[in-house]
Structures are given as C-alpha cells and as structure tokens.
Amino acid sequence: MQNFFSDSRQTNDTIAALCTAPGGALAIVRISGPEALAVASEVWKGRQSLSEGAARVMHLGKVCSRDGGPAGEPCLAVYMKGPRSYTGEDTVELQCHGGAFAPKRLLDAVLASGARLAEPGEFTKRAFLNGRMDLTQAEAVADLINAKSESAAHLAEKQMSGLIGTAVRNERGKLLHVLAEVESRLDFPEEELDWLPAENLKEILNGCIKVIGKMIRSRKNGAILRNGMRVVIAGRPNSGKSSLLNALLGYDRAIVTPMPGTTRDTLEEFASFHGIPVRLTDTAGLREATGDPIENLGITRSRDSLRSAEIVFWVMDASSPATAGESLEYMKSQTENTANLIAVWNKMDLNPAPEQLPPLSGIPSVRISARNGEGLETLLDVFENTVWNKSESSETECEVSARHAELLESAKSELEQAVGEIDSGFWELAASCLHAAITALGGVTGEDANPDMLDEIFSRFCIGK
C-alpha cells in the first residue's frame, strides 16, 4: 500500500488520543506507533510489565506520577503487537476512570512521554496504509460512528466486512486480465500468439459493465440509509403540526397550545422511522402575512424548509368537515411538487362525520389523531412506501456511497468505450480506456487513491479514530 502522508515523519511518529467520548464512566487512551510500548511504560506500572510475552492480555496497574511520587489511580492496560492491531502498528490501550479530569491527565502524561496527539482519523488512516483494511472499509468506520438508525449501522457493518471492496477488486482483476491481452497485441503484433478472440474480451467487459451498473444503481438507497431523509411537517396554523412532531418523537419536543401561531420558528430533530434515518422539521403555520414580524419570519422559514424537503407531511385539521375542502385547496396551492407529499388529516378523534372528508387524487393520505396516536403507524407505513418507491430497489448486497458511485460511473463509461474500440480493432485506444477504468476502480478501494482524496476522506473522522 502506498504511503500518502504529506509529511514523512508522520508515519514514524507514535500517536495518541482519547478514543472515548468525554463524560462517560470509562475512558480509553490509545497509543500507536513504534514507541507505543515505551511511551505506555513511562506512564503505567503493573505487577507484570507490558511486553511481547504479555501481549493481548488486559493487565491491572496504576498511572505513574511523572515527578517520582507514588503511583496514582488504577488503570488497565493491554498491549497489541503489530501487525495484529487495529492500525497494524504496535498499539497500547490504557483504560482509566472517565469524567473530564482523569482522562485528560492520562493523555497529557502520554503526550509528555514522547507521543504526539493524533490527527482526525489518523488511527484509521494508518490502518488503511498498513493494509489492515481497504478504503471502503475505512469509510465504513466513519459511517458506523455517524449512523442514526439500525439500518444505517447494519449497512456500515456490511461495508466494514469488505463486501464492496471485494466486489470491486473482483471486477478490477478481470479488467487487468483483459488489459494484458490487449497490450500483448500491441507489443507483439507480428507474433502468432494464442490470443483470446475479440468477442470473448467484449463478453468479459460487458459482464463487468453489468455488475458495475448494479452497484451504481444502489447509490440512492445507500444515500437514504447513510444520510437520512429531510421530512418537513407543514400546514396551516393550529392544524396539529407540533402535536404530530411530539407524537412521532415520543416525547414533548414542541410547545402545543390551542392558540394559532404558537410555533414561530422551525424545530429540527433526528429520528428513525421503520429503519430510515430522518431529519424531522416542524414549521410555523403557513398563512398570509400578519402584523407580527416574528411570525412572518417564521412563515418565510417554513417556505424555505418546504423547498428543501424530500418528504412533506402536510397536516390538515379534520375536526371540521365544513372547512376540510378549503384546507385541501390551500395545500394544493402551496405545494408545487406533489410527488413528495403525504396529506395528513389530523384530529380525526374530533371529526363527527369522517365520511364527509373530500377525496384526494394522486396524493397519498392518512387519517390520524396525534393526540391519541391513532393512525401513526399507518402514516409511517405510507412514508416508508413513498421513500422506497422514489428509489430503485437495491440489486447488490451493500449499497455504495456517492464517492464510490462517481468512480464507478467513470469506470463504466470507459468500459463501454473500450468495447467499441475493440469492436473496431483500435487496440491502443481500448488499452487507454481500460487503464482509466482500472484506475477508477482502484480509487474506490484505495489502490489508486491520491493524497488529496485521502486527506479529504480522513479529515471527516473524529480525533481518536
């Protein structure tokens, strides 16, 4: 694996960082690099010293005082000799009491003993550079940390197992074989070698194109599971939007009163609906401009949220059948894109004649009572169907990311051109296309990644990973 660190000293440094979130009951300080064992031995002492013979076993000891005083708080230590460690380097993890002070004191002692503070994502970057994982697996580490639903976490775990990397390397291996065939025709044009017929080469390339196409089509599902959906709750004042927000979240996040215009600004929360991560936004009630400048500002923000929404729950008051038709017409006048719209008739528990509600054509609708929870599960079922109907069904075991899809699109385009060049007998042009496709696939797994790409990817990680 190539070394892409811009500063060569960084690969030889021993690095350290706090790997657990502050404030917990337990804290872990990870040390990785050629001097990891020496640095750890400066700050930790136990009944048995850390050594190769004691590797991969947890030992109880105490944090040493750097001024020669008595040993301090109890601390567990485990030594993992490279390459059998997360980073592929010698690694020591020290576990101390959590909170704010104890972990900081331990990390300060480790840094004073010769380690430097790790950069964001540097542990995982070293794992990648040392061949412990490919780039798709490294990205999955960040996806797992950022997962906001069970489905997103499961997707990250599948990617960490190497499904995407294995599939891409398999196709890349086929292309390398075809490239060797093509280049041998260029290097030995006068020789009577046992070349594969052009039709066979085209068949291999078309097979690769088909597999890559399936992977590309999984991008949309992958984006939904990784990034979630922007869902906006909109409607006229006092239709029960904030009550719906509270009911969906399962706790009182928004203030609810019988007075119209209670919600003055947008409220945003993260949730998971049927395994789909959701960024749920409650908005101020929409109506004509009022004499209240604060409410007018809230209405403006509501319209902005509507324009950026991927799914809209448009809430209408169903308690009065006489005004239901007017509510429906107002919804249609305020929404340009009905493809992302779900009409929600709220306050059904107060409706004396539900059969009198006007029918909707071409727009999914749900009847609920946010107050007593009636119909909420039906609303989530309709939401789930709307999300996946807007997306192509996945044809691969693991959905690719936007970065992967961009490189796969490039590879697919080059392969389609290569098939045409082989068909026309232009072997040199076919070789050029194959080189470009192989490089694009190598960019997915990191085999042909450039330093700027790596820096951009790993900069998204937190310190400690």
Side-chain angles (χ1 to χ4, degrees):
M1 191 72 68
Q2 279 184 274
N3 183 339
F4 291 117
F5 279 103
S6 56
D7 187 344
S8 61
R9 71 171 180 87
Q10 289 184 296
T11 55
N12 298 317
D13 282 353
T14 295
I15 58 175
L18 183 65
C19 295
T20 48
L26 182 72
I28 300 176
V29 173
R30 177 183 288 161
I31 311 166
S32 181
E35 300 300 319
L37 189 59
V39 169
S41 299
E42 284 285 319
V43 301
W44 179 92
K45 298 296 181 186
R47 184 176 300 175
Q48 181 180 3
S49 63
L50 297 174
S51 65
E52 185 172 344
R56 312 189 77 80
V57 176
M58 191 73 76
H59 299 278
L60 177 63
K62 291 188 175 182
V63 178
C64 301
S65 172
R66 292 191 54 78
D67 58 10
E73 66 167 310
C75 181
L76 291 167
V78 59
Y79 166 53
M80 292 160 279
K81 182 173 178 57
R84 295 180 61 202
S85 69
Y86 179 74
T87 61
E89 305 171 323
D90 284 0
T91 301
V92 177
E93 289 185 356
L94 303 174
Q95 299 185 10
C96 68
H97 291 294
F101 178 72
K104 182 180 184 304
R105 180 175 61 180
L106 177 58
L107 179 59
D108 287 345
V110 168
L111 298 178
S113 298
R116 69 166 173 81
L117 186 64
E119 297 175 358
E122 189 167 358
F123 290 111
T124 304
K125 190 172 187 179
R126 289 189 175 201
F128 162 69
L129 293 173
N130 290 325
R132 297 292 291 171
M133 60 180 70
D134 67 26
L135 193 53
T136 65
Q137 292 171 299
E139 291 171 298
V141 172
D143 288 343
L144 182 60
I145 293 171
N146 296 322
K148 295 180 175 66
S149 72
E150 184 68 28
S151 298
H154 183 55
L155 176 62
E157 289 163 356
K158 288 198 298 180
Q159 188 171 324
M160 286 176 67
S161 71
L163 285 175
I164 292 178
T166 299
V168 171
R169 281 191 295 274
N170 184 47
E171 300 311 306
R172 191 170 184 267
K174 296 175 186 178
L175 298 186
L176 287 169
H177 174 71
V178 173
L179 178 62
E181 284 277 339
V182 171
E183 291 191 330
S184 69
R185 293 172 181 266
L186 297 173
D187 293 338
F188 309 104
E190 305 300 328
E191 301 289 336
E192 293 294 333
L193 300 180
D194 188 20
W195 289 314
L196 282 176
E199 288 302 317
N200 290 28
L201 298 181
K202 286 161 51 181
E203 183 179 353
I204 294 173
L205 295 186
N206 283 324
C208 291
I209 290 170
K210 184 177 180 180
V211 172
I212 291 171
K214 289 181 179 179
M215 296 180 72
I216 293 169
R217 286 192 293 276
S218 73
R219 170 184 178 171
K220 201 165 187 177
N221 285 6
I224 291 171
L225 294 176
R226 289 184 179 91
N227 307 324
M229 298 291 288
R230 296 189 303 275
V231 177
V232 170
I233 302 174
R236 303 193 79 165
N238 211 30
S239 57
K241 299 182 299 302
S242 295
S243 296
L244 177 57
L245 173 75
N246 292 341
L248 290 172
L249 295 177
Y251 63 91
D252 290 342
R253 172 63 179 88
I255 297 173
V256 176
T257 75
M259 298 175 57
T262 300
T263 302
R264 299 295 189 92
D265 200 355
T266 56
L267 295 177
E268 189 169 281
E269 288 292 329
F270 286 96
S272 176
F273 297 159
H274 289 193
I276 301 170
V278 168
R279 193 168 69 197
L280 188 61
T281 303
D282 181 26
T283 61
L286 291 170
R287 57 177 168 177
E288 300 305 319
T290 70
D292 187 335
I294 297 177
E295 186 178 356
N296 288 337
L297 181 58
I299 292 172
T300 299
R301 292 187 176 181
S302 296
R303 298 191 189 283
D304 291 340
S305 296
L306 270 177
R307 282 190 286 270
S308 65
E310 292 173 288
I311 298 287
V312 176
F313 291 167
W314 188 280
V315 183
M316 295 178 287
D317 185 349
S319 62
S320 174
T323 61
E326 179 189 348
S327 298
L328 190 58
E329 290 305 314
Y330 185 76
M331 177 192 74
K332 293 178 179 178
S333 70
Q334 298 297 308
T335 51
E336 298 177 359
N337 178 19
T338 58
N340 68 346
L341 190 63
I342 299 176
V344 182
W345 288 109
N346 189 26
K347 305 184 184 181
M348 288 301 299
D349 54 316
L350 302 177
N351 188 316
E355 69 281 356
Q356 294 182 17
L357 288 178
L360 280 81
S361 177
I363 300 174
S365 65
V366 183
R367 300 183 177 193
I368 72 163
S369 169
R371 184 168 65 176
N372 62 28
E374 178 187 345
L376 289 183
E377 193 58 35
T378 302
L379 172 60
L380 296 183
D381 288 340
V382 172
F383 163 77
E384 182 180 17
N385 290 334
T386 302
V387 169
W388 296 126
N389 285 341
K390 288 161 65 69
S391 172
E392 297 185 38
S393 60
S394 175
E395 298 179 67
T396 61
E397 290 183 294
C398 195
E399 290 80 358
V400 302
S401 70
R403 185 188 76 83
H404 304 153
E406 183 178 350
L407 290 166
L408 291 170
E409 287 278 13
S410 176
K412 180 171 176 285
S413 176
E414 293 290 347
L415 292 181
E416 288 170 343
Q417 185 174 343
V419 170
E421 303 299 355
I422 290 174
D423 199 39
S424 302
F426 298 143
W427 298 104
E428 188 170 354
L429 294 176
S432 176
C433 293
L434 287 169
H435 274 292
I438 289 167
T439 298
L441 295 184
V444 174
T445 59
E447 291 164 277
D448 290 300
N450 60 66
D452 289 339
M453 177 193 294
L454 292 179
D455 288 342
E456 198 275 332
I457 290 172
F458 287 103
S459 67
R460 305 173 194 165
F461 284 60
C462 57
I463 293 177
K465 269 301 183 184

